[in-house]
Amino acid sequence: MENASIFVIMVSAILVNNFVLSRFLGICPFLGVSKQVETAFGMGMAVTFVITLAGTLTYFVHYYLLVPFGLEYLQTAAFILVIASLVQFVEIVLQKMSPTLYQALGVFLPLITTNCAVLGLALLNIQYKFGLVQTIFHSFFAAIGFSLAIVLFAGIREKLETSDVPAPFKGFPIALVTASLMSIAFLGFTGLV
Amino acid sequence: MDTNSIILAGTSLGIMGLAFGAALAFASKKFAVEVDPRVVEVREAVPGANCGACGYPGCDGFANAVVKGIAPVNGCPVGGAAVATKVAQIMGVEAGSSIKKIARVKCEGHDENCGNRYEYDGFDSCVAANMLNGGPKKCLYGCMGLGSCVQVCPFDAIHINDKGLAEVDPEKCTACNKCIEICPKMVISLVPYEQLTIVQCNNKDKGPMVKKNCNVACIACGICEKNCPFDAIHVINNLAEIDYDKCTNCMICVEKCPTKAIQGDLTKRTAI
């Protein structure tokens, strides 16, 4: 993946290695905030925003802070620190600079602080030995993949609300079955890149 | 064991943490948004159910609107009078009277009184049933008892009773309007908590039509209107309506109503 082109990264991040459906990262917001398309979309946008920023920032932290001091083994801890601070910082700044965007993202922003998708992405960027541009695009597209999955899933769940589901399957069970079927469907993209 | 690497890892992470912490502290000072302290106080005074009954997005939205002077201090129907006085104190104004209201299902057309036109076998949703030629009931205005209101009630205050009709628990109801909004028959409405005399019918058809469909419906005969000593009940759109401001719960109309569509507990009536 070291020299992958932007296009390949895009297809890979959105479809083939979809964060939720084939890497199984960020499952909790995927199940938690997917009852309505609208909120799912809000969550998707918030994640996109944070992941792109976090991916870029962790790149700098890794190559300009950890590598020079030979502290690569501290990656996970350091990234958690960076992401948590970043989200808090972004929240404070947004509240001041753009109250509209702050209102729109609402409660989702602080929720993302502890989202494994963000950490997973930061670690993957390093694992794939991406350059800066590739890192930024990979982060962005991975988040788009996440948004795509969660919005599709929310759409299906909205339909499920009004369909005749066998009693024992009502609610979460059928949602999980749906999620697994979606995951299998996305498996069909394997080998595309 | 290489103690050096432990110290190195510890200090470097510690320093990073400190730096980020300092940056955040600086940012929160630098980018601090000034919030009117009254907003915080109002926010603490209201119940915090975020039900949206006041018409604003959540309790924060309501607090903001109150401080801006857009929303009335007694605008929180869930908190009622107690919260209204607290909010009024914060804002430094009189609370004004806010009469506690509750939702009432205005229908007595259970299976014995009002039969079905067809058998409904879909999923339990009044909204869906209503799309099928106005629902299974003979009366097109009555409660179908499929429980859409039960599903939306955030306070567990409305249930389907053993007669198959929705019934509101007056103690739990907070007049949040959720059931009123979802009901496709518009058979639920807000009534003062103290009101004892209620027209338990929502049928706006003409008398003979109504009589065919339901035994306890308002047939718009106007007897209540003629007998009311306070001019508090009127037949509007073929349906008797009580003016709750004028009604004294004397329950003469309850006695006179030929179909028993107006209901009230006669033991609790006020003498005139």
Side-chain angles (χ1 to χ4, degrees):
Chain A
M1 293 288 271
E2 250 170 274
N3 299 311
S5 74
I6 304 294
F7 180 73
V8 171
I9 289 177
M10 181 179 89
V11 176
S12 151
I14 297 182
L15 298 175
V16 182
N17 294 315
N18 186 291
F19 252 59
V20 180
L21 298 171
S22 35
R23 287 198 203 277
F24 307 116
L25 287 167
I27 297 290
C28 60
F30 180 67
L31 292 173
V33 251
S34 58
K35 280 209 169 137
Q36 284 176 338
V37 172
E38 207 178 309
T39 45
F41 188 73
M43 184 71 189
M45 288 303 101
V47 167
T48 309
F49 185 69
V50 170
I51 275 192
T52 314
L53 270 178
T56 318
L57 193 70
T58 46
Y59 174 87
F60 287 115
V61 169
H62 185 258
Y63 287 106
Y64 294 96
L65 219 71
L66 297 183
V67 174
F69 294 106
L71 292 168
E72 286 96 335
Y73 59 92
L74 283 180
Q75 232 178 34
T76 314
F79 283 6
I80 291 177
L81 201 62
V82 170
I83 293 165
S85 323
L86 175 74
V87 175
Q88 294 303 315
F89 182 75
V90 166
E91 198 181 354
I92 294 169
V93 174
L94 266 190
Q95 200 175 4
K96 179 80 176 178
M97 297 299 190
S98 170
T100 344
L101 187 60
Y102 177 75
Q103 288 266 327
L105 295 180
V107 72
F108 300 124
L109 204 49
L111 275 182
I112 298 165
T113 319
T114 47
N115 188 337
C116 56
V118 185
L119 180 66
L121 175 109
L123 294 173
L124 277 176
N125 279 339
I126 307 300
Q127 240 176 53
Y128 286 156
K129 301 193 171 63
F130 278 149
L132 180 59
V133 180
Q134 282 173 316
T135 297
I136 295 172
F137 276 100
H138 181 242
S139 312
F140 178 70
F141 288 128
I144 292 293
F146 173 88
S147 310
L148 177 77
I150 196 171
V151 169
L152 286 179
F153 187 51
I156 298 175
R157 277 186 85 171
E158 275 191 356
K159 295 244 171 196
L160 277 179
E161 284 286 307
T162 50
S163 37
D164 197 8
V165 179
F169 277 104
K170 269 196 180 129
F172 248 108
I174 194 72
L176 291 174
V177 171
T178 312
S180 63
L181 287 177
M182 276 179 78
S183 176
I184 292 173
F186 267 69
L187 208 64
F189 290 116
T190 317
L192 207 62
V193 179
Chain B
M1 184 94 183
D2 188 3
T3 39
N4 252 353
S5 62
I6 298 178
I7 295 170
L8 189 66
T11 43
S12 55
L13 269 187
I15 289 170
M16 270 176 83
L18 261 178
F20 285 132
L24 276 183
F26 175 73
S28 69
K29 268 266 179 291
K30 171 102 182 164
F31 294 102
V33 178
E34 280 190 29
V35 183
D36 192 323
R38 289 179 302 176
V39 174
V40 183
E41 282 177 49
V42 173
R43 178 67 187 79
E44 275 164 14
V46 294
N50 281 320
C51 64
C54 50
Y56 293 93
C59 298
D60 282 321
F62 175 68
N64 272 320
V66 167
V67 173
K68 270 186 201 151
I70 311 168
V73 287
N74 57 5
C76 177
V78 178
V83 168
T85 8
K86 259 196 246 167
V87 176
Q89 267 175 7
I90 296 164
M91 297 297 296
V93 292
E94 289 291 317
S97 67
S98 107
I99 302 164
K100 179 175 160 64
K101 285 189 169 181
I102 52 165
R104 293 296 287 259
V105 183
K106 295 183 163 183
C107 181
E108 281 293 319
H110 48 81
D111 286 346
E112 280 168 35
N113 287 330
C114 176
N116 286 341
R117 291 182 293 152
Y118 63 86
E119 197 178 320
Y120 175 75
D121 196 23
F123 48 89
D124 287 350
S125 159
C126 304
V127 182
N130 191 42
M131 288 178 202
L132 296 168
N133 197 12
K137 275 250 149 91
K138 272 187 188 165
C139 169
L140 290 177
Y141 300 86
C143 172
M144 296 181 284
L146 292 168
S148 282
C149 47
V150 180
Q151 283 158 23
V152 293
C153 181
F155 303 100
D156 191 34
I158 190 163
H159 295 280
I160 305 298
N161 62 17
D162 22 314
K163 291 177 197 158
L165 295 174
E167 192 176 314
V168 177
D169 181 342
E171 303 310 320
K172 285 186 185 165
C173 181
T174 60
C176 74
N177 271 320
K178 289 254 159 85
C179 52
I180 295 172
E181 280 160 20
I182 194 103
C183 181
K185 297 295 190 189
M186 289 181 263
V187 70
I188 311 174
S189 58
L190 287 186
V191 171
Y193 180 75
E194 310 284 343
Q195 181 71 23
L196 300 170
T197 320
I198 288 159
V199 181
Q200 283 286 27
C201 183
N202 187 43
N203 195 316
K204 296 174 187 77
D205 282 337
K206 290 216 168 83
M209 259 275 274
V210 183
K211 226 172 178 175
K212 245 189 278 172
N213 293 333
C214 180
N215 296 333
V216 287
C218 171
I219 51 172
C221 61
I223 291 177
C224 48
E225 194 172 346
K226 278 174 215 139
N227 282 291
C228 181
F230 304 100
D231 190 35
I233 190 162
H234 297 280
V235 176
I236 302 162
N237 275 336
N238 297 318
L239 181 65
E241 268 181 41
I242 296 175
D243 183 339
Y244 300 122
D245 291 335
K246 289 183 186 164
C247 180
T248 60
N249 289 316
C250 70
M251 299 197 190
I252 289 177
C253 52
V254 178
E255 276 181 340
K256 300 281 181 190
C257 181
T259 57
K260 300 288 165 232
I262 308 176
Q263 298 210 336
D265 186 354
L266 286 171
T267 57
K268 289 183 186 156
R269 69 193 297 187
T270 33
I272 28 168

